[in-house]
Amino acid sequence: MKIDTTCVHGVKDKANLTGAVTVPIYQSSTFAHPGVDQSTGYSYSRLQNPTKEVLENIVAELENGTDALGFSTGMAAVSTLMELFKPGDHIIATDDLYGGSIRLFNNISKKNGLKFDYINTSDIPTVKNKITKETKAIFIETPTNPMMRITDIAAVKDIIKGTDILLIVDNTFLTPYFQQPFSLGADIVVHSGTKYLGGHNDTLAGFLVTSNSEIAERLRFIHKTTGACLAPFDSFLIIRGIKTLAIRMEKAQENAAAIAGWLLKQEKVTAVHYAGLETHPDYAVSKKQATGFGAMISFEVDSEQTAHQILEGVKLIMFAESLGGVETLITYPMLQTHADVPQEDREARGINERLLRISVGIENINDLINDLNQALA
């Protein structure tokens, strides 16, 4: 099946004997056994639940992975991922990561003995030079949050071939609909399912996907042991969201391209960061490794006053954290997504008081541009 059909039809629920078109919510914490040494395949929902299992199979299918694990949040997924490593292990990470990932790495993972180097992973020679004998993983986000830089996934894989270094890709922004990291050499794919996979800003979820059965087994053990599993009802909501993933991504991307072009013409806008612009420094890499550019835009305005004017002036667009829903949201990274990143580091990456980020939704494009226009006036 093509990916848009998989989004709709997914993977069949083997536990469903009723013919229900929608996957049922198996709202049960535990499951009875037919007898000693006999099982229905389920025992306790922390280990597995039929609704969650269907969702995990759908996500694995969409990513062309062998296994996917559902978590209560995206950060729960990343926290579990870090348990693959031991004290002294070194991880190279994109310097322009989601602020929550940086907060976790700096305040929890480092405390547990892991070592990190944050670099511009778009610069492949720099990545190569940072590898040491202790390096166990390269964690990249592409496009990055919030500066929309692109890392050449295949090029990173080329420099670690023949080693035991894991290539981890956060695919939240583009989703498997626009980007397939496993085909480019990734070992593990990360998602905040709260975002585009869910698509409606109504639940939290996270995923780890892998194409390696040994890694999957290790992650499943950590998952059941630490217990941050995705609940049945939340699994149901993400399944429902994925059904419209393809059409939402296409419409949101169409809107984003139009808004990016409009922003470029505004006198008070000094820079626009969108991977779909031919002027973007990584445009060629993006064209090569993805089938779309997504719907995330960051832009810089001429002053902090203008930034505040826009945030307080929008009427249709909402000033809110998060992204990937049907509603268009505008975010102030320095005070929201990256508030816990030290100011010096944040500003060195361009995350200043003039930078705004838009998650473009699926509304009528004229309404969105009119709203931005009146807020800028």
Side-chain angles (χ1 to χ4, degrees):
M1 288 190 296
K2 300 296 185 182
I3 191 167
D4 44 358
T5 304
T6 301
C7 287
V8 175
H9 289 278
V11 178
K12 297 305 178 185
D13 171 18
K14 68 182 182 182
N16 176 22
L17 303 177
T18 68
V21 173
T22 301
V23 177
I25 304 169
Y26 293 90
Q27 195 65 47
S28 181
S29 61
T30 190
F31 301 85
H33 300 292
V36 178
D37 292 330
Q38 298 179 48
S39 174
T40 61
Y42 307 98
S43 60
Y44 193 63
S45 276
R46 175 161 47 81
L47 280 67
Q48 191 53 286
N49 174 281
T51 312
K52 175 172 170 280
E53 183 178 50
V54 171
L55 171 60
E56 289 175 337
N57 289 339
I58 293 169
V59 173
E61 181 80 11
L62 290 173
E63 283 286 10
N64 287 315
T66 57
D67 197 12
L69 293 79
F71 295 83
S72 53
T73 68
M75 289 313 304
V78 180
S79 297
T80 296
L81 176 62
M82 290 299 105
E83 295 299 326
L84 288 176
F85 308 105
K86 64 182 187 302
D89 285 351
H90 173 240
I91 297 172
I92 296 169
T94 303
D95 56 1
D96 186 35
L97 283 180
Y98 165 57
S101 298
I102 295 173
R103 180 174 61 238
L104 172 72
F105 296 164
N106 286 348
N107 295 283
I108 306 298
S109 302
K110 283 185 178 180
K111 170 182 69 67
N112 293 338
L114 303 186
K115 298 181 289 186
F116 292 83
D117 269 316
Y118 298 103
I119 63 170
N120 176 9
T121 51
S122 302
D123 186 340
I124 301 302
T126 298
V127 176
K128 187 174 183 179
N129 290 338
K130 281 293 180 181
I131 295 173
T132 71
K133 62 182 182 180
E134 288 83 26
T135 304
K136 298 301 178 185
I138 300 177
F139 188 109
I140 65 176
E141 189 175 78
T142 181
T144 62
N145 184 4
M147 301 307 294
M148 310 302 157
R149 296 206 306 260
I150 308 297
T151 295
D152 189 328
I153 300 170
V156 174
K157 184 64 176 182
D158 282 343
I159 64 176
I160 60 174
K161 274 183 180 174
T163 74
D164 62 355
I165 298 172
L166 296 176
L167 178 53
I168 302 163
V169 178
D170 186 327
N171 200 28
T172 297
F173 274 17
L174 290 187
T175 82
Y177 184 72
F178 281 143
Q179 184 166 262
Q180 296 273 317
F182 288 127
S183 69
L184 301 166
D187 297 294
I188 299 171
V189 171
V190 179
H191 281 282
S192 173
T194 309
K195 311 306 192 295
Y196 287 105
L197 295 182
H200 291 79
N201 288 319
D202 57 7
T203 193
L204 303 177
F207 295 95
L208 295 177
V209 193
T210 183
S211 57
N212 181 299
S213 58
E214 181 182 343
I215 293 173
E217 186 176 347
R218 291 170 64 194
L219 288 172
R220 285 246 167 234
F221 178 81
I222 299 166
H223 188 29
K224 75 175 182 180
T225 302
T226 55
C229 57
L230 190 61
F233 185 68
D234 298 305
S235 298
F236 165 81
L237 289 175
I238 302 295
I239 292 171
R240 183 202 62 179
I242 288 175
K243 287 181 182 292
T244 59
L245 177 66
I247 57 175
R248 286 188 288 103
M249 294 302 291
E250 291 286 359
K251 176 61 176 175
Q253 176 179 246
E254 178 186 325
N255 283 350
I259 289 173
W262 180 84
L263 286 169
L264 285 172
K265 301 172 185 176
Q266 305 312 302
E267 188 176 331
K268 293 181 179 179
V269 176
T270 59
V272 180
H273 308 288
Y274 177 60
L277 293 173
E278 293 188 14
T279 53
H280 190 288
D282 304 318
Y283 177 79
V285 175
S286 188
K287 284 279 286 184
K288 178 182 72 170
Q289 73 181 15
T291 57
F293 303 107
M296 296 300 301
I297 303 170
S298 289
F299 65 101
E300 192 169 317
V301 293
D302 57 1
S303 68
E304 182 177 6
Q305 179 183 356
T306 299
H308 288 202
Q309 176 186 328
I310 294 170
L311 293 169
E312 296 171 3
V314 288
K315 293 181 171 61
L316 174 66
I317 297 169
M318 289 176 277
F319 175 21
E321 213 160 334
S322 200
L323 60 101
V326 293
E327 305 90 354
T328 298
L329 304 179
I330 191 164
T331 301
Y332 204 16
M334 66 168 285
L335 292 182
Q336 293 178 296
T337 57
H338 290 70
D340 291 329
V341 177
Q343 181 178 351
E344 183 178 352
D345 293 343
R346 190 176 67 233
E347 292 185 350
R349 296 165 193 165
I351 307 170
N352 54 42
E353 71 280 359
R354 301 182 306 281
L355 185 78
L356 301 172
R357 190 193 74 185
I358 299 182
S359 168
V360 182
I362 64 171
E363 303 96 333
N364 183 279
I365 186 58
N366 294 321
D367 291 332
L368 293 174
I369 289 178
N370 288 341
D371 193 30
L372 287 169
N373 191 49
Q374 66 82 26
L376 260 173

